[in-house]
Amino acid sequence: MALFDFGFLRREWRNLDDVLPDDVSAADQEDGSDLQALRGEARVMHQVTTPHEDQLLSTAVASARDTALAAEVLELRSVNEQLRRALASRAVIDQARGMVMALTPCSSARAWDLLVDVSQHCNVKLRDVAAALVATSKGEALPDQLQRELRRAVRRAHAADLR
C-alpha cells in the first residue's frame, strides 16, 4: 500500500509531430534513419502534464511562493523591530556618552569604551547602563554596582593614559 498518492504526476506522451519542426533540412531527409532515431528518442523523453496536473502544480508553486513571502515578511518585521529598538536606545546611549565626556574629560570614543567596559563587567546591557546614567540627571541614584564599576573603568582608563 502506497503512503502517498502520486497519481497527479502521471504523464501523457505528447505526439512527436507537435514537438519536431516541420522544416527538416535536406541532409536530414536524405538520412531518414537518423531522423527516425531522433523521433524515437524524443517520443520516449518528452513528457507533458495534463491540464488538471498543471493546475495542481501551479497551486503548489503558488502555495510555496506564499509560504516564502510569509517567511520573508516575518523576518522583515523582526528586523524592523530590532532597528526600532536600536534607534530608541541609541539616543539614550548618546546622552550617556555626553555625560561621561563632561564628567571625565575624554573623547567620544573613550566615553563609549567606558560605557562598554561597565556594561561588560556588570553583565548589564549597554542601553540599560546608559539609561541608568541618564536617569541620574533626573535625581535618580545610580545603582551601586554600576557606580563602582564606572569608577573602576575611569581609573583603568586614566592608568592606561599615564603609560
Side-chain angles (χ1 to χ4, degrees):
M1 179 170 152
L3 294 175
F4 301 103
D5 180 18
F6 292 109
F8 71 94
L9 292 176
R10 288 190 195 102
R11 307 287 185 197
E12 291 181 9
W13 301 107
R14 179 187 271 187
N15 185 349
L16 185 61
D17 294 329
D18 294 341
V19 177
L20 294 178
D22 292 332
D23 58 332
V24 179
S25 69
D28 289 335
Q29 289 176 0
E30 289 174 12
D31 188 9
S33 62
D34 286 343
L35 186 56
Q36 286 303 95
L38 178 62
R39 287 180 187 270
E41 288 176 25
R43 189 173 285 121
V44 171
M45 293 174 62
H46 192 73
Q47 300 175 358
V48 295
T49 58
T50 65
H52 177 68
E53 292 169 350
D54 283 341
Q55 183 182 9
L56 289 173
L57 290 173
S58 65
T59 302
V61 168
S63 176
R65 281 191 200 127
D66 290 346
T67 302
L69 286 175
E72 187 175 357
V73 165
L74 287 175
E75 181 182 350
L76 289 173
R77 284 181 180 165
S78 172
V79 168
N80 189 27
E81 180 61 24
Q82 289 173 357
L83 289 173
R84 188 189 62 73
R85 275 188 263 131
L87 282 174
S89 65
R90 189 64 188 191
V92 173
I93 292 171
D94 286 342
Q95 289 173 2
R97 279 172 84 176
M99 291 175 70
V100 170
M101 289 168 58
L103 296 172
T104 62
C106 65
S107 68
S108 177
R110 176 55 64 93
W112 173 264
D113 292 340
L114 288 171
L115 289 172
V116 168
D117 192 25
V118 170
S119 170
Q120 290 176 347
H121 281 88
C122 292
N123 197 23
V124 176
K125 291 192 178 289
L126 181 62
R127 66 176 175 255
D128 295 336
V129 170
L133 190 59
V134 170
T136 62
S137 67
K138 297 174 186 166
E140 293 184 31
L142 189 63
D144 291 337
Q145 180 187 15
L146 294 179
Q147 201 172 45
R148 280 191 306 273
E149 199 51 52
L150 184 59
R151 282 189 194 123
R152 289 179 187 148
V154 169
R155 281 190 214 122
R156 285 190 296 271
H158 285 302
D161 288 344
L162 296 176
R163 293 183 203 167

